[in-house]
Amino acid sequence: MLRTLFFLAMLFSSCTQASPIHLLYSGQYPLTTSVSYHFTPDTKLELHELLNIEDDITWKHSSQPDINLGLGYGNGAFWLKTEIVNENELVKNWALEFKNAPLDQIEAYLMQNDEVIEYHLGGDSVRFSDKSIQYPRAIFPLQLEPNQTYSLYIRVIHSGPIQVPMTIWEWEKLNSNTLSDFLLQGLFLGFVIIMALYNFVVWLKERESVYLSYITYILCLTLFQLGLSGIGFQFIWPSFPELNAFTPLISVSLALASVNLFTRDLFDMQEHSLRLHTILTKLFYFFLIFTLICLFLPFHISVAIISFLALVNTGLMIFIAVYMLRIKHQSAHYFALAWSIVYIGTISLTLNKLGIIPSSFFSQHTLQIGAAFEIIILTLALAERMAISQKNALSLAIQVNEEKENTYNAQRESLILEKKAKEELERIVDERTQKLSQTLESLSIAHDKLQTISITDALTGLNNRYYFNDHFKIEYKRAFRDQTECSLIMLDIDHFKLVNDTYGHPAGDVCLKFIANCIKKNAARDSDICCRYGGEEFIIVLPSTSLMAAYKLADKIRESIKEEPVKWNNTGISLTASFGVSSVIPSKVDQNNMQYLVNQADQALYDAKDQGRDRVVAFNQGIL
C-alpha cells in the first residue's frame, strides 16, 4: 500500500529539472531541492547505460525545502543527479555527506566533460574497509576546482523506506561538525554504560530481577544506538556488514521484551493486576520469539512491524503509567514522566524513518535524548524503590525489636502473675481443655471438608477420578453379589481443543461446568455416580441399569448438551459430545474384569468419534 501511494505521488510530482547548486561560500549546502531523481526496478543498471537512455527518462525533483529527501519504498534503485558549480575561489576540498542514512548501498559518480573523474562507494552492506572514507556514516570527498561545473550522479539501493539526507560541506567545516557529533554519541554511550554499571552494582546488593531486566533494556538501547549511528559498524563489526540491517531490529525487539519484564517487576504487577501481569509476561515471550522471526523476514517488512509494535508497546506503557497513577503507586510519577518523553521520541523517530515528517536535529536525536532522560528518571524510580524497601526493612527490624521487648515484658509479667495466681491454675487448665476440645472438633470438621475436597473435582463439582476408582469397585462387587447389570457411560466433549484455542481456557472451564450440570441434571438418582474422568472426559456409573436404559440416558444427556449454547462474552458456544456405553452382569470380581468394562465404554466412545461425533454408541450393538 505504501509503495502504491509512493508511485502515485511520483506521478503527480514536478517533472521539471532541478536547478544547479552554486557553492559560493564556506559551510554546508543541502541538496534536496537541487537533486533530480529517477526510479528503476533494475538494480544492475550502470551509469553508462543510464546516460544512453537519459533523454528518454522523466526526471523528477522535490520542491520541499527539507534537508532529508524522502523517497518512500522502492524495490529497485534510485538514480539521483545534480549539477554543481564551485564559485568559491578559495575552497576546492568539499565533501558529500549522507547523515543518519542507513542505506544498503550508495554509489557516487562525479563527472566533468562526460567523463567520470571520481567514484565513491558506501552504505551499510559494504565492508567498512571498502568505503571511500572509514567513517560511521557515508561521506564522499569531492575535489571541485574553482569556477568549474560538475555533474554528480548517485545510485541508491535499499530494501526499506528510503531517505537520502544529502549535504555538501566544505571539508574543514565537516570535520568540525563530525567532531561535535562524535562527542554527542560518546557522551550518550558513556552515560548509558555508567547507568548500566550502576544498576548492576545495585543488583549485586539487592538481588532483585527488576535490576537485571532494566540493565538488559539499557544495553539494548545502547546496541540500537551503535547500529543506528554506524559506530558499531566502524569499531565492533567492520567485517560483517550484514549485521547492520539486523542489529537495530534485534536490539529494539529485545529492548521491548526487557522493558515489559522490567515494568512487570517494577510495579509488582501480580499484586495489582493479574491481567496486566499476564499481558506483560506474554509480551516478553512474544518479543523474544519475534527477535528470531525478524531474522527471516524481508528487511522493510521487519522495519514496518517493529515500528508499529514499538508505538503500540509504548502506548501500553503510558496506559500502565496512568493506571498506576490512579492506584497511587509510589513509582508511577517517575514511570509516567519517563514514558511520556520516550513516547514523543518514538513517534518522532518512527514518523521520520517512514518519511512522514522531515529530518531535523530534533527528529533525528529526539529518541536518543529522550532515552537518556528516561534512563535517568527510571533509575531514580529504582532508587526510590530501593529506599522504600530499605525503609520497610528498617521498620520491620524496629518492629521485631519491639516485639522481642514486648515478649520479654510479657514473660516477666507472666512470672509475676504466676506467683499471684496459682489458685486460678485449675480454672485456666479447664479453659484450655475446653479450647482444646473445640480445636479438635474444628480439626475434625476440617478433616471432613478435606476428605470431601479430595474426592471432588474443583472445577465442575463432580466427583473426581480417585472417587470413581474406589466406588466403581464397590458397585461392581454389589452387581456381582446381586447379579444385576452394572452400566457405564463415558463421554468426551467434541472438538474441545478448538474451543480452548478459539475462546481461551476460561471459556473452556465454563464449558466443562456446563457439561457437568447437564450430567447432574439427568443422572439424578442417588445411586448414580457422576465423575470427571480427566480433561474433557466424564464417566457415569449406573448401578442396576440395563444397557438400553443407559443408552437412553446417554442420549438424553447428549440432547441436553446440544440444545443450548454456552454463553460466553455476549456470544454462544455450541457444544456436542460423543458417548460410549457398556454394561455387564459380572461373572466374577477381579481387576481385569472391571477394567474390561471401562475399556468397552472407552472403545464405544472412540467408535462414536469415528462415526462422526455427537452420537451414542453402545459396545454391544446387537442388544439395541
Side-chain angles (χ1 to χ4, degrees):
M1 182 65 181
L2 287 174
R3 189 179 300 169
T4 303
L5 292 175
F6 165 71
F7 282 113
L8 288 175
M10 292 279 286
L11 289 174
F12 292 100
S13 64
S14 173
C15 296
T16 61
Q17 293 295 317
S19 59
I21 185 165
H22 296 267
L23 308 180
L24 300 172
Y25 54 85
S26 301
Q28 59 176 320
Y29 296 84
L31 292 183
T32 303
T33 57
S34 300
V35 171
S36 300
Y37 56 87
H38 170 69
F39 172 78
T40 173
D42 184 5
T43 59
K44 296 183 179 181
L45 181 68
E46 297 296 336
L47 177 62
H48 67 276
E49 297 173 323
L50 177 74
L51 295 174
N52 290 334
I53 61 172
E54 185 173 10
D55 293 337
D56 300 326
I57 293 176
T58 302
W59 293 86
K60 299 175 175 60
H61 77 277
S62 174
S63 60
Q64 298 295 326
D66 180 14
I67 192 174
N68 190 49
L69 179 62
L71 302 178
Y73 285 86
N75 188 18
F78 278 94
W79 280 94
L80 300 90
K81 73 171 182 175
T82 186
E83 297 290 328
I84 304 174
V85 181
N86 184 11
E87 299 181 6
N88 192 315
E89 297 284 349
L90 302 177
V91 181
K92 65 178 181 179
N93 292 323
W94 300 83
L96 175 63
E97 179 196 32
F98 298 83
K99 187 171 185 179
N100 297 322
L103 302 172
D104 293 342
Q105 183 174 320
I106 308 171
E107 295 174 89
Y109 303 85
L110 184 65
M111 299 183 63
Q112 189 177 40
N113 299 325
D114 296 329
E115 292 185 3
V116 177
I117 59 175
E118 289 185 23
Y119 169 76
H120 300 285
L121 175 65
D124 288 348
S125 64
V126 179
R127 292 172 65 90
F128 204 81
S129 58
D130 296 335
K131 291 187 174 184
S132 297
I133 291 183
Q134 295 187 0
Y135 189 76
R137 56 179 179 261
I139 295 178
F140 301 149
L142 301 177
Q143 191 77 13
L144 305 177
E145 296 295 333
N147 300 315
Q148 297 291 319
T149 301
Y150 300 87
S151 296
L152 179 64
Y153 286 83
I154 302 168
R155 177 166 63 177
V156 177
I157 300 174
H158 188 59
S159 58
I162 299 178
Q163 293 180 314
V164 189
M166 297 177 295
T167 305
I168 289 183
W169 286 82
E170 180 193 350
W171 185 257
E172 296 299 328
K173 297 290 185 181
L174 176 63
N175 286 336
S176 175
N177 178 265
T178 53
L179 181 61
S180 301
D181 189 60
F182 259 123
L183 179 61
L184 177 64
Q185 299 294 341
L187 287 174
F188 176 77
L189 294 175
F191 167 75
V192 295
I193 291 173
I194 290 173
M195 288 293 99
L197 289 175
Y198 164 76
N199 284 279
F200 180 72
V201 173
V202 174
W203 173 78
L204 291 176
K205 180 179 181 296
E206 298 293 324
R207 296 291 179 175
E208 292 188 34
S209 61
V210 64
Y211 293 97
L212 283 181
S213 57
Y214 186 54
I215 293 168
T216 305
Y217 175 61
I218 293 176
L219 294 178
C220 288
L221 288 181
T222 305
L223 181 62
F224 173 74
Q225 187 60 31
L226 288 172
L228 194 64
S229 65
I231 295 177
F233 188 26
Q234 181 176 4
F235 296 106
I236 302 177
W237 56 85
S239 300
F240 302 96
E242 58 273 8
L243 291 180
N244 284 323
F246 295 107
T247 298
L249 294 175
I250 292 173
S251 58
V252 170
S253 185
L254 291 177
L256 292 173
S258 57
V259 79
N260 282 291
L261 199 62
F262 165 74
T263 304
R264 186 196 72 180
D265 295 340
L266 175 67
F267 291 118
D268 298 316
M269 198 62 75
Q270 195 166 10
E271 298 179 5
H272 301 290
S273 173
L274 286 176
R275 180 172 295 179
L276 284 176
H277 179 273
T278 302
I279 290 173
L280 291 171
T281 302
K282 289 183 177 180
L283 283 174
F284 166 72
Y285 290 110
F286 168 78
F287 282 115
L288 287 182
I289 296 171
F290 182 76
T291 302
L292 299 176
I293 294 175
C294 70
L295 296 176
F296 303 98
L297 291 176
F299 177 76
H300 67 281
I301 294 178
S302 297
V303 169
I305 293 175
I306 202 66
S307 299
F308 173 75
L309 292 176
L311 286 173
V312 173
N313 202 81
T314 307
L316 174 63
M317 296 298 107
I318 297 294
F319 171 79
I320 291 174
V322 173
Y323 176 76
M324 288 300 161
L325 285 171
R326 289 186 61 187
I327 65 175
K328 298 181 179 180
H329 193 280
Q330 67 269 13
S331 300
H333 291 87
Y334 291 105
F335 191 83
L337 178 60
W339 279 103
S340 296
I341 295 173
V342 171
Y343 195 56
I344 295 171
T346 302
I347 291 175
S348 177
L349 182 64
T350 301
L351 296 180
N352 174 259
K353 292 305 173 186
L354 293 176
I356 298 175
I357 64 174
S359 286
S360 64
F361 178 85
F362 178 77
S363 64
Q364 291 290 342
H365 296 91
T366 184
L367 182 59
Q368 189 174 347
I369 297 170
F373 277 104
E374 181 205 24
I375 291 172
I376 294 173
I377 295 169
L378 292 181
T379 300
L380 290 175
L382 287 174
E384 183 184 46
R385 187 177 190 270
M386 181 173 62
I388 293 173
S389 177
Q390 292 175 346
K391 182 180 179 180
N392 292 337
L394 180 60
S395 300
L396 181 61
I398 294 173
Q399 183 179 353
V400 170
N401 288 333
E402 290 177 351
E403 289 180 355
K404 287 183 178 178
E405 185 177 355
N406 292 337
T407 302
Y408 172 77
N409 292 333
Q411 290 175 345
R412 183 179 178 184
E413 291 177 6
S414 177
L415 291 174
I416 296 173
L417 291 174
E418 184 179 2
K419 293 179 180 180
K420 297 180 179 180
K422 286 184 179 180
E423 65 275 10
E424 296 184 8
L425 180 60
E426 215 172 43
R427 180 180 60 82
I428 294 174
V429 170
D430 290 340
E431 289 178 356
R432 296 291 174 86
T433 303
Q434 184 179 2
K435 289 181 179 180
L436 179 61
S437 299
Q438 292 174 352
T439 301
L440 291 173
E441 184 178 354
S442 299
L443 287 173
S444 177
I445 295 172
H447 176 267
D448 293 338
K449 289 183 178 179
L450 285 174
Q451 188 173 16
T452 301
I453 292 173
S454 68
I455 61 173
T456 303
D457 179 66
L459 177 64
T460 63
L462 297 178
N463 296 317
N464 57 20
R465 187 165 182 171
Y466 176 81
Y467 183 88
F468 167 79
N469 291 337
D470 283 350
H471 285 71
F472 176 56
K473 292 178 183 178
I474 296 172
E475 294 302 330
Y476 195 91
K477 291 178 180 178
R478 179 182 289 117
F480 170 75
R481 184 176 60 250
D482 298 338
Q483 282 299 290
T484 57
E485 281 191 84
C486 181
S487 297
L488 290 182
I489 298 175
M490 184 176 289
L491 66 112
D492 181 89
I493 305 174
D494 296 331
H495 303 295
F496 186 69
K497 183 179 183 303
L498 182 60
V499 173
N500 278 333
D501 292 343
T502 304
Y503 300 97
H505 288 278
D509 292 345
V510 171
C511 293
L512 290 172
K513 293 178 182 179
F514 171 78
I515 296 294
N517 289 335
C518 291
I519 293 173
K520 289 188 287 187
K521 182 173 64 176
N522 291 282
R525 297 184 308 175
D526 292 339
S527 59
D528 296 341
I529 300 173
C530 305
C531 304
R532 185 179 178 187
Y533 198 64
E536 62 269 27
E537 287 189 349
F538 298 81
I539 194 165
I540 306 171
V541 182
L542 302 173
S544 303
T545 303
S546 66
L547 181 63
M548 178 63 74
Y551 182 92
K552 291 180 179 179
L553 177 60
D555 196 61
K556 185 178 179 182
I557 296 172
R558 183 187 67 82
E559 290 291 340
S560 177
I561 293 171
K562 186 177 180 181
E563 67 183 3
E564 182 180 357
V566 179
K567 295 180 180 179
W568 173 256
N569 285 348
N570 300 323
T571 188
I573 303 175
S574 298
L575 298 177
T576 61
S578 301
F579 293 73
V581 181
S582 62
S583 182
V584 70
I585 299 176
S587 58
K588 60 180 181 178
V589 177
D590 59 31
Q591 185 63 36
N592 290 336
N593 279 12
M594 288 187 285
Q595 186 60 44
Y596 185 65
L597 183 60
V598 176
N599 292 344
Q600 287 180 333
D602 187 62
Q603 181 60 49
L605 171 60
Y606 277 98
D607 289 342
K609 293 280 188 182
D610 290 339
Q611 293 175 23
R613 294 183 172 83
D614 188 23
R615 64 191 64 233
V616 180
V617 174
F619 180 77
N620 189 350
Q621 298 286 347
I623 296 178
L624 299 178

XYZ file of all heavy atoms in Angstrom, residues 404-433:
254
model
N 10.205 -8.290 70.445
C 11.070 -9.009 71.397
C 10.969 -8.396 72.791
O 10.898 -9.103 73.795
C 12.509 -8.974 70.903
C 12.789 -9.871 69.714
C 14.254 -9.823 69.326
C 14.544 -10.765 68.159
N 15.975 -10.688 67.748
N 10.969 -7.054 72.821
C 10.855 -6.378 74.117
C 9.510 -6.664 74.763
O 9.426 -6.912 75.982
C 11.043 -4.871 73.907
C 11.062 -4.082 75.206
C 11.315 -2.611 74.979
O 11.573 -2.229 73.825
O 11.260 -1.842 75.961
N 8.465 -6.616 73.931
C 7.134 -6.928 74.468
C 7.063 -8.362 74.982
O 6.429 -8.639 76.005
C 6.084 -6.707 73.387
C 5.936 -5.238 73.032
O 6.265 -4.353 73.826
N 5.447 -4.956 71.823
N 7.727 -9.263 74.240
C 7.751 -10.664 74.672
C 8.466 -10.810 76.011
O 8.011 -11.540 76.918
C 8.443 -11.521 73.616
O 7.756 -11.391 72.378
C 8.434 -12.983 74.035
N 9.585 -10.098 76.132
C 10.330 -10.150 77.401
C 9.479 -9.620 78.550
O 9.414 -10.218 79.642
C 11.621 -9.347 77.264
C 12.357 -9.169 78.568
C 13.110 -10.212 79.101
C 12.295 -7.962 79.250
C 13.779 -10.054 80.309
C 12.967 -7.790 80.456
C 13.710 -8.840 80.988
O 14.368 -8.670 82.176
N 8.835 -8.472 78.312
C 7.982 -7.892 79.357
C 6.827 -8.815 79.699
O 6.436 -8.939 80.868
C 7.458 -6.534 78.897
C 8.562 -5.500 78.796
O 9.579 -5.599 79.493
N 8.372 -4.506 77.931
N 6.291 -9.445 78.659
C 5.168 -10.369 78.896
C 5.609 -11.559 79.738
O 4.879 -12.025 80.631
C 4.594 -10.834 77.569
N 6.810 -12.069 79.424
C 7.325 -13.199 80.215
C 7.560 -12.797 81.672
O 7.271 -13.567 82.596
C 8.628 -13.700 79.590
C 8.426 -14.400 78.251
C 9.729 -14.775 77.597
O 10.790 -14.281 77.999
N 9.648 -15.618 76.569
N 8.056 -11.579 81.827
C 8.299 -11.097 83.189
C 6.995 -10.962 83.956
O 6.879 -11.386 85.115
C 9.017 -9.750 83.109
C 9.387 -9.178 84.466
C 10.112 -7.861 84.275
N 10.431 -7.269 85.546
C 10.987 -6.085 85.722
N 11.301 -5.366 84.626
N 11.254 -5.602 86.912
N 6.013 -10.366 83.275
C 4.705 -10.223 83.922
C 4.076 -11.583 84.192
O 3.378 -11.774 85.192
C 3.795 -9.383 83.036
C 4.204 -7.919 82.949
C 3.320 -7.141 82.003
O 2.333 -7.745 81.517
O 3.597 -5.955 81.773
N 4.369 -12.529 83.271
C 3.809 -13.866 83.455
C 4.353 -14.529 84.716
O 3.607 -15.204 85.445
C 4.127 -14.715 82.230
O 3.658 -16.021 82.401
N 5.618 -14.339 84.970
C 6.212 -14.911 86.190
C 5.609 -14.291 87.442
O 5.354 -14.979 88.442
C 7.725 -14.707 86.163
C 8.495 -15.528 85.121
C 9.963 -15.109 85.098
C 8.360 -17.014 85.402
N 5.382 -12.980 87.329
C 4.777 -12.305 88.494
C 3.358 -12.795 88.721
O 2.937 -13.083 89.861
C 4.808 -10.779 88.279
C 6.260 -10.290 88.223
C 4.048 -10.051 89.378
C 6.397 -8.827 87.853
N 2.617 -12.877 87.615
C 1.225 -13.317 87.725
C 1.118 -14.776 88.156
O 0.156 -15.173 88.824
C 0.512 -13.124 86.377
C 0.276 -11.666 85.943
C -0.297 -11.629 84.535
C -0.670 -10.966 86.923
N 2.135 -15.558 87.751
C 2.100 -16.974 88.123
C 2.151 -17.148 89.636
O 1.473 -18.023 90.197
C 3.271 -17.698 87.473
C 3.267 -19.191 87.726
C 4.428 -19.893 87.049
O 5.238 -19.192 86.418
O 4.512 -21.121 87.165
N 2.950 -16.299 90.287
C 3.066 -16.389 91.738
C 1.778 -15.959 92.425
O 1.420 -16.485 93.479
C 4.215 -15.502 92.213
C 5.580 -15.987 91.753
C 6.673 -15.056 92.230
C 8.043 -15.529 91.763
N 9.141 -14.627 92.212
N 1.104 -14.975 91.791
C -0.117 -14.441 92.403
C -1.370 -15.219 92.027
O -2.423 -14.996 92.617
C -0.308 -12.982 91.987
C 0.793 -12.049 92.472
C 0.511 -10.632 92.014
C 1.589 -9.670 92.511
N 1.334 -8.275 92.080
N -1.266 -16.084 91.024
C -2.496 -16.692 90.514
C -2.434 -18.207 90.494
O -2.995 -18.851 89.614
C -2.798 -16.163 89.141
N -1.727 -18.821 91.441
C -1.688 -20.283 91.470
C -3.065 -20.874 91.719
O -3.378 -21.970 91.240
C -0.728 -20.752 92.563
C 0.729 -20.559 92.222
C 1.624 -21.128 93.301
C 3.096 -20.966 92.943
N 3.990 -21.503 93.984
N -3.859 -20.102 92.466
C -5.202 -20.619 92.761
C -6.088 -20.687 91.524
O -7.109 -21.377 91.530
C -5.864 -19.749 93.838
C -6.149 -18.328 93.439
C -4.937 -17.424 93.657
O -3.831 -17.940 93.945
O -5.103 -16.197 93.514
N -5.738 -19.930 90.496
C -6.554 -19.942 89.285
C -6.054 -20.965 88.255
O -6.607 -21.079 87.163
C -6.550 -18.562 88.629
C -7.191 -17.482 89.489
C -7.252 -16.152 88.785
O -6.923 -16.111 87.573
O -7.629 -15.158 89.419
N -5.015 -21.709 88.615
C -4.426 -22.638 87.653
C -5.437 -23.665 87.162
O -5.498 -23.996 85.987
C -3.215 -23.328 88.294
C -2.491 -24.336 87.416
C -1.964 -23.662 86.154
C -1.358 -24.995 88.187
N -6.217 -24.161 88.121
C -7.175 -25.197 87.742
C -8.204 -24.661 86.744
O -8.554 -25.329 85.758
C -7.893 -25.710 88.990
C -8.195 -27.171 88.927
C -8.729 -27.658 90.255
O -9.561 -26.967 90.869
O -8.297 -28.717 90.681
N -8.654 -23.407 86.999
C -9.625 -22.803 86.097
C -9.021 -22.615 84.694
O -9.679 -22.887 83.674
C -10.077 -21.453 86.656
C -11.109 -20.742 85.781
C -11.500 -19.409 86.405
N -10.350 -18.535 86.540
C -9.861 -17.793 85.547
N -10.413 -17.853 84.343
N -8.820 -17.006 85.751
N -7.757 -22.172 84.680
C -7.102 -21.958 83.391
C -6.953 -23.274 82.628
O -7.161 -23.348 81.415
C -5.728 -21.292 83.600
C -5.920 -19.893 84.157
C -4.931 -21.238 82.303
C -4.623 -19.199 84.545
N -6.611 -24.352 83.389
C -6.474 -25.669 82.752
C -7.798 -26.114 82.159
O -7.858 -26.667 81.050
C -5.941 -26.704 83.758
C -6.014 -28.111 83.186
C -4.520 -26.370 84.174
N -8.876 -25.867 82.899
C -10.201 -26.233 82.383
C -10.519 -25.463 81.088
O -11.053 -26.024 80.125
C -11.269 -25.952 83.439
C -11.167 -26.912 84.611
O -10.548 -27.982 84.437
O -11.681 -26.584 85.703
N -10.176 -24.155 81.121
C -10.447 -23.348 79.932
C -9.633 -23.855 78.738
O -10.146 -23.956 77.621
C -10.107 -21.880 80.202
C -11.077 -21.214 81.153
C -10.683 -19.776 81.438
O -9.621 -19.340 80.942
O -11.442 -19.096 82.144
N -8.356 -24.158 79.022
C -7.508 -24.662 77.940
C -8.013 -26.007 77.419
O -7.957 -26.287 76.217
C -6.069 -24.806 78.429
C -5.432 -23.492 78.820
C -5.198 -22.640 77.590
N -4.707 -21.319 77.934
C -3.434 -21.012 78.122
N -2.525 -21.964 78.018
N -3.079 -19.777 78.424
N -8.492 -26.838 78.342
C -9.010 -28.144 77.925
C -10.232 -27.977 77.028
O -10.395 -28.663 76.013
C -9.384 -28.989 79.146
O -8.232 -29.131 79.985
C -9.868 -30.365 78.725
